[in-house]
Short mmCIF file of all heavy atoms in Angstrom, two decimals:
data_model
loop_
_atom_site.label_atom_id
_atom_site.label_comp_id
_atom_site.label_asym_id
_atom_site.label_seq_id
_atom_site.Cartn_x
_atom_site.Cartn_y
_atom_site.Cartn_z
N VAL A 1 0.82 -1.20 0.05
CA VAL A 1 -0.03 0.05 0.01
C VAL A 1 0.90 1.18 0.00
O VAL A 1 1.75 1.38 0.86
CB VAL A 1 -0.94 0.03 1.23
CG1 VAL A 1 -1.83 1.31 1.23
CG2 VAL A 1 -1.77 -1.21 1.29
N THR A 2 0.68 2.11 -1.01
CA THR A 2 1.50 3.29 -1.06
C THR A 2 1.32 4.18 0.19
O THR A 2 0.23 4.40 0.69
CB THR A 2 1.10 4.16 -2.32
OG1 THR A 2 1.30 3.35 -3.47
CG2 THR A 2 1.89 5.43 -2.40
N LYS A 3 2.46 4.62 0.70
CA LYS A 3 2.54 5.47 1.94
C LYS A 3 2.30 4.74 3.23
O LYS A 3 2.25 5.34 4.27
CB LYS A 3 1.61 6.70 1.83
CG LYS A 3 2.17 7.77 0.80
CD LYS A 3 1.62 9.17 1.19
CE LYS A 3 2.26 9.64 2.48
NZ LYS A 3 1.81 11.04 2.80
N GLN A 4 2.15 3.41 3.15
CA GLN A 4 2.17 2.63 4.40
C GLN A 4 3.53 1.90 4.47
O GLN A 4 3.97 1.31 3.51
CB GLN A 4 1.00 1.61 4.40
CG GLN A 4 -0.35 2.24 4.55
CD GLN A 4 -1.44 1.19 4.93
OE1 GLN A 4 -1.14 0.07 5.19
NE2 GLN A 4 -2.70 1.60 4.79
N THR A 5 4.17 2.05 5.63
CA THR A 5 5.59 1.74 5.69
C THR A 5 5.92 0.22 5.45
O THR A 5 6.81 -0.04 4.67
CB THR A 5 6.16 2.11 7.08
OG1 THR A 5 5.88 3.55 7.25
CG2 THR A 5 7.65 1.92 7.14
N PRO A 6 5.20 -0.74 6.01
CA PRO A 6 5.61 -2.12 5.76
C PRO A 6 5.28 -2.54 4.39
O PRO A 6 4.50 -1.90 3.63
CB PRO A 6 4.76 -2.87 6.79
CG PRO A 6 4.28 -1.91 7.80
CD PRO A 6 4.14 -0.63 7.01
N GLY A 7 5.87 -3.68 3.94
CA GLY A 7 5.58 -4.22 2.63
C GLY A 7 5.35 -5.71 2.73
O GLY A 7 5.61 -6.34 3.78
N ARG A 8 4.89 -6.31 1.64
CA ARG A 8 4.62 -7.72 1.56
C ARG A 8 4.77 -8.25 0.13
O ARG A 8 4.37 -7.53 -0.82
CB ARG A 8 3.22 -7.98 2.13
CG ARG A 8 2.87 -9.44 2.40
CD ARG A 8 1.41 -9.63 2.69
NE ARG A 8 0.93 -8.74 3.74
CZ ARG A 8 0.92 -9.08 5.03
NH1 ARG A 8 1.45 -10.23 5.40
NH2 ARG A 8 0.50 -8.26 5.94
N LEU A 9 5.29 -9.44 -0.03
CA LEU A 9 5.32 -10.05 -1.35
C LEU A 9 4.02 -10.72 -1.72
O LEU A 9 3.55 -10.56 -2.80
CB LEU A 9 6.49 -11.10 -1.38
CG LEU A 9 7.91 -10.56 -1.10
CD1 LEU A 9 8.89 -11.69 -1.01
CD2 LEU A 9 8.32 -9.55 -2.18
N GLY A 10 3.47 -11.52 -0.79
CA GLY A 10 2.22 -12.21 -1.03
C GLY A 10 2.48 -13.62 -1.59
O GLY A 10 3.56 -13.90 -2.11
N ASP A 11 1.43 -14.44 -1.47
CA ASP A 11 1.59 -15.83 -1.85
C ASP A 11 1.91 -16.03 -3.34
O ASP A 11 2.83 -16.88 -3.68
CB ASP A 11 0.24 -16.57 -1.56
CG ASP A 11 -0.08 -16.61 -0.06
OD1 ASP A 11 0.86 -16.41 0.75
OD2 ASP A 11 -1.24 -16.91 0.23
N GLU A 12 1.25 -15.30 -4.23
CA GLU A 12 1.44 -15.55 -5.60
C GLU A 12 2.88 -15.20 -6.05
O GLU A 12 3.49 -15.91 -6.82
CB GLU A 12 0.49 -14.71 -6.45
CG GLU A 12 0.51 -14.96 -7.95
CD GLU A 12 -0.50 -14.22 -8.76
OE1 GLU A 12 -1.23 -13.43 -8.14
OE2 GLU A 12 -0.53 -14.34 -10.00
N GLN A 13 3.38 -14.03 -5.58
CA GLN A 13 4.76 -13.66 -5.90
C GLN A 13 5.78 -14.62 -5.35
O GLN A 13 6.78 -14.95 -6.03
CB GLN A 13 5.03 -12.20 -5.47
CG GLN A 13 6.44 -11.70 -5.87
CD GLN A 13 6.62 -10.29 -5.56
OE1 GLN A 13 7.66 -9.72 -5.92
NE2 GLN A 13 5.70 -9.64 -4.82
N ARG A 14 5.57 -15.06 -4.14
CA ARG A 14 6.51 -16.04 -3.60
C ARG A 14 6.51 -17.36 -4.38
O ARG A 14 7.61 -17.99 -4.52
CB ARG A 14 6.24 -16.25 -2.10
CG ARG A 14 6.43 -15.02 -1.22
CD ARG A 14 6.55 -15.38 0.30
NE ARG A 14 5.45 -16.28 0.67
CZ ARG A 14 4.25 -15.85 1.12
NH1 ARG A 14 3.96 -14.48 1.21
NH2 ARG A 14 3.28 -16.67 1.43
N ALA A 15 5.35 -17.84 -4.80
CA ALA A 15 5.23 -18.97 -5.60
C ALA A 15 6.02 -18.82 -6.93
O ALA A 15 6.72 -19.70 -7.37
CB ALA A 15 3.83 -19.39 -5.81
N TRP A 16 5.81 -17.63 -7.56
CA TRP A 16 6.57 -17.36 -8.82
C TRP A 16 8.02 -17.35 -8.58
O TRP A 16 8.80 -17.89 -9.37
CB TRP A 16 6.11 -15.99 -9.36
CG TRP A 16 7.00 -15.51 -10.40
CD1 TRP A 16 7.05 -15.91 -11.69
CD2 TRP A 16 8.19 -14.63 -10.28
NE1 TRP A 16 8.05 -15.22 -12.45
CE2 TRP A 16 8.76 -14.51 -11.55
CE3 TRP A 16 8.70 -13.88 -9.17
CZ2 TRP A 16 9.91 -13.68 -11.79
CZ3 TRP A 16 9.82 -13.06 -9.44
CH2 TRP A 16 10.37 -12.96 -10.70
N LEU A 17 8.54 -16.81 -7.48
CA LEU A 17 9.91 -16.71 -7.15
C LEU A 17 10.47 -18.14 -6.98
O LEU A 17 11.55 -18.44 -7.56
CB LEU A 17 10.16 -15.94 -5.88
CG LEU A 17 11.60 -15.89 -5.36
CD1 LEU A 17 12.55 -15.27 -6.35
CD2 LEU A 17 11.71 -15.19 -4.01
N ALA A 18 9.76 -19.01 -6.21
CA ALA A 18 10.23 -20.36 -6.06
C ALA A 18 10.43 -21.13 -7.42
O ALA A 18 11.41 -21.79 -7.67
CB ALA A 18 9.33 -21.10 -5.16
N LYS A 19 9.45 -20.91 -8.28
CA LYS A 19 9.52 -21.54 -9.61
C LYS A 19 10.65 -21.00 -10.40
O LYS A 19 11.30 -21.67 -11.17
CB LYS A 19 8.15 -21.42 -10.33
CG LYS A 19 7.01 -22.23 -9.77
CD LYS A 19 5.77 -22.08 -10.52
CE LYS A 19 5.90 -22.51 -11.92
NZ LYS A 19 4.58 -22.52 -12.71
N ALA A 20 10.84 -19.61 -10.41
CA ALA A 20 11.84 -18.97 -11.16
C ALA A 20 13.26 -19.40 -10.71
O ALA A 20 14.13 -19.62 -11.48
CB ALA A 20 11.68 -17.47 -11.08
N LEU A 21 13.39 -19.55 -9.36
CA LEU A 21 14.66 -20.05 -8.86
C LEU A 21 14.87 -21.53 -9.23
O LEU A 21 16.04 -21.83 -9.63
CB LEU A 21 14.66 -19.94 -7.29
CG LEU A 21 14.80 -18.50 -6.77
CD1 LEU A 21 14.48 -18.49 -5.27
CD2 LEU A 21 16.19 -17.97 -6.99
N ASP A 22 13.90 -22.31 -9.15
CA ASP A 22 14.03 -23.74 -9.49
C ASP A 22 14.40 -23.91 -10.98
O ASP A 22 15.05 -24.92 -11.34
CB ASP A 22 12.77 -24.52 -9.12
CG ASP A 22 12.56 -24.64 -7.66
OD1 ASP A 22 13.59 -24.43 -6.86
OD2 ASP A 22 11.50 -24.92 -7.21
N ALA A 23 13.97 -22.99 -11.80
CA ALA A 23 14.22 -23.09 -13.22
C ALA A 23 15.65 -22.67 -13.55
O ALA A 23 16.13 -22.86 -14.67
CB ALA A 23 13.20 -22.24 -13.98
N ARG A 24 16.38 -22.06 -12.60
CA ARG A 24 17.71 -21.56 -12.81
C ARG A 24 18.60 -21.96 -11.66
O ARG A 24 19.14 -21.16 -10.91
CB ARG A 24 17.64 -19.98 -12.92
CG ARG A 24 16.79 -19.48 -14.07
CD ARG A 24 16.49 -17.97 -13.94
NE ARG A 24 15.73 -17.48 -15.04
CZ ARG A 24 14.39 -17.59 -15.14
NH1 ARG A 24 13.68 -18.18 -14.15
NH2 ARG A 24 13.76 -17.14 -16.21
N PRO A 25 18.90 -23.25 -11.53
CA PRO A 25 19.66 -23.73 -10.45
C PRO A 25 21.16 -23.62 -10.55
O PRO A 25 21.89 -23.85 -9.57
CB PRO A 25 19.25 -25.18 -10.29
CG PRO A 25 18.97 -25.62 -11.76
CD PRO A 25 18.39 -24.39 -12.35
N ASP A 26 21.63 -23.34 -11.82
CA ASP A 26 23.11 -23.57 -12.05
C ASP A 26 23.92 -22.28 -12.00
O ASP A 26 25.11 -22.30 -12.43
CB ASP A 26 23.24 -24.25 -13.42
CG ASP A 26 22.61 -25.58 -13.47
OD1 ASP A 26 22.60 -26.28 -12.47
OD2 ASP A 26 22.08 -25.97 -14.55
N LYS A 27 23.32 -21.17 -11.56
CA LYS A 27 24.03 -19.92 -11.57
C LYS A 27 23.68 -19.18 -10.23
O LYS A 27 22.54 -19.34 -9.75
CB LYS A 27 23.64 -19.05 -12.74
CG LYS A 27 24.53 -17.83 -12.90
CD LYS A 27 24.10 -16.97 -14.16
CE LYS A 27 24.34 -17.74 -15.47
NZ LYS A 27 24.05 -16.82 -16.60
N PRO A 28 24.57 -18.46 -9.56
CA PRO A 28 24.24 -17.77 -8.35
C PRO A 28 23.02 -16.87 -8.58
O PRO A 28 22.85 -16.24 -9.52
CB PRO A 28 25.51 -16.95 -8.08
CG PRO A 28 26.59 -17.75 -8.68
CD PRO A 28 26.04 -18.32 -9.94
N ALA A 29 22.15 -16.89 -7.56
CA ALA A 29 20.92 -16.14 -7.58
C ALA A 29 21.08 -14.95 -6.57
O ALA A 29 21.34 -15.18 -5.36
CB ALA A 29 19.76 -17.00 -7.25
N LEU A 30 20.89 -13.73 -7.01
CA LEU A 30 20.95 -12.52 -6.18
C LEU A 30 19.52 -12.03 -6.17
O LEU A 30 18.98 -11.59 -7.20
CB LEU A 30 21.89 -11.52 -6.74
CG LEU A 30 23.34 -12.13 -7.01
CD1 LEU A 30 24.24 -11.03 -7.62
CD2 LEU A 30 23.93 -12.69 -5.78
N VAL A 31 18.91 -11.86 -5.04
CA VAL A 31 17.52 -11.47 -4.86
C VAL A 31 17.52 -10.04 -4.40
O VAL A 31 18.28 -9.67 -3.49
CB VAL A 31 16.77 -12.42 -3.93
CG1 VAL A 31 15.38 -11.93 -3.71
CG2 VAL A 31 16.84 -13.80 -4.40
N MET A 32 16.68 -9.17 -4.98
CA MET A 32 16.57 -7.81 -4.58
C MET A 32 15.07 -7.48 -4.32
O MET A 32 14.24 -7.79 -5.06
CB MET A 32 17.18 -6.82 -5.63
CG MET A 32 17.09 -5.41 -5.22
SD MET A 32 17.98 -4.28 -6.38
CE MET A 32 19.70 -4.63 -6.03
N VAL A 33 14.85 -6.80 -3.19
CA VAL A 33 13.52 -6.35 -2.79
C VAL A 33 13.69 -5.04 -2.05
O VAL A 33 14.71 -4.78 -1.40
CB VAL A 33 12.86 -7.45 -1.96
CG1 VAL A 33 13.59 -7.65 -0.66
CG2 VAL A 33 11.39 -7.07 -1.68
N HIS A 34 12.66 -4.19 -2.12
CA HIS A 34 12.80 -2.90 -1.46
C HIS A 34 12.84 -3.01 0.04
O HIS A 34 13.69 -2.40 0.70
CB HIS A 34 11.63 -1.96 -1.93
CG HIS A 34 11.72 -0.62 -1.19
ND1 HIS A 34 12.70 0.32 -1.43
CD2 HIS A 34 11.00 -0.10 -0.13
CE1 HIS A 34 12.56 1.36 -0.63
NE2 HIS A 34 11.55 1.11 0.17
N HIS A 35 11.88 -3.69 0.62
CA HIS A 35 11.74 -3.72 2.07
C HIS A 35 12.76 -4.59 2.75
O HIS A 35 13.07 -5.64 2.30
CB HIS A 35 10.32 -4.11 2.50
CG HIS A 35 9.28 -3.14 2.25
ND1 HIS A 35 8.69 -2.86 1.02
CD2 HIS A 35 8.71 -2.19 3.11
CE1 HIS A 35 7.81 -1.95 1.13
NE2 HIS A 35 7.77 -1.50 2.41
N ASN A 36 13.30 -4.08 3.81
CA ASN A 36 14.22 -4.84 4.67
C ASN A 36 13.59 -6.02 5.37
O ASN A 36 12.37 -5.95 5.75
CB ASN A 36 14.90 -3.97 5.73
CG ASN A 36 13.93 -3.38 6.68
OD1 ASN A 36 13.14 -2.43 6.31
ND2 ASN A 36 13.82 -3.85 7.92
N PRO A 37 14.33 -7.16 5.41
CA PRO A 37 13.71 -8.33 6.18
C PRO A 37 13.48 -8.02 7.62
O PRO A 37 14.28 -7.30 8.22
CB PRO A 37 14.76 -9.40 5.96
CG PRO A 37 16.01 -8.68 5.65
CD PRO A 37 15.63 -7.45 4.95
N ILE A 38 12.35 -8.48 8.14
CA ILE A 38 12.08 -8.43 9.57
C ILE A 38 12.53 -9.73 10.22
O ILE A 38 11.99 -10.77 10.10
CB ILE A 38 10.63 -8.23 9.85
CG1 ILE A 38 10.11 -6.92 9.16
CG2 ILE A 38 10.34 -8.13 11.39
CD1 ILE A 38 8.61 -6.71 9.32
N LEU A 39 13.73 -9.65 10.90
CA LEU A 39 14.32 -10.85 11.49
C LEU A 39 13.75 -11.08 12.88
O LEU A 39 13.12 -10.18 13.49
CB LEU A 39 15.89 -10.70 11.53
CG LEU A 39 16.50 -10.44 10.14
CD1 LEU A 39 17.98 -10.24 10.29
CD2 LEU A 39 16.18 -11.66 9.26
N PRO A 40 13.87 -12.25 13.43
CA PRO A 40 13.21 -12.56 14.70
C PRO A 40 13.51 -11.66 15.85
O PRO A 40 12.67 -11.40 16.71
CB PRO A 40 13.73 -14.00 15.00
CG PRO A 40 14.01 -14.60 13.70
CD PRO A 40 14.55 -13.45 12.85
N ASP A 41 14.68 -11.02 15.86
CA ASP A 41 15.06 -10.11 16.96
C ASP A 41 14.68 -8.66 16.72
O ASP A 41 15.04 -7.79 17.47
CB ASP A 41 16.55 -10.26 17.31
CG ASP A 41 17.43 -9.90 16.10
OD1 ASP A 41 16.88 -9.81 14.98
OD2 ASP A 41 18.67 -9.74 16.26
N ALA A 42 14.04 -8.39 15.58
CA ALA A 42 13.72 -7.01 15.21
C ALA A 42 12.68 -6.44 16.23
O ALA A 42 11.75 -7.03 16.58
CB ALA A 42 13.16 -6.95 13.81
N VAL A 43 12.94 -5.19 16.58
CA VAL A 43 12.01 -4.43 17.45
C VAL A 43 10.86 -3.85 16.63
O VAL A 43 9.69 -3.90 17.02
CB VAL A 43 12.75 -3.37 18.26
CG1 VAL A 43 11.78 -2.58 19.08
CG2 VAL A 43 13.86 -4.03 19.13
#
């Protein structure tokens, strides 16, 4: 949502990413996304 701080990929995009990665197993994969990951210790 524009102007709301958090972000989300969603089920469909994550499914696409998994398939796209599986179709390209033989070269390093570098993933880029705007929002920073929220790790377990994040406040």
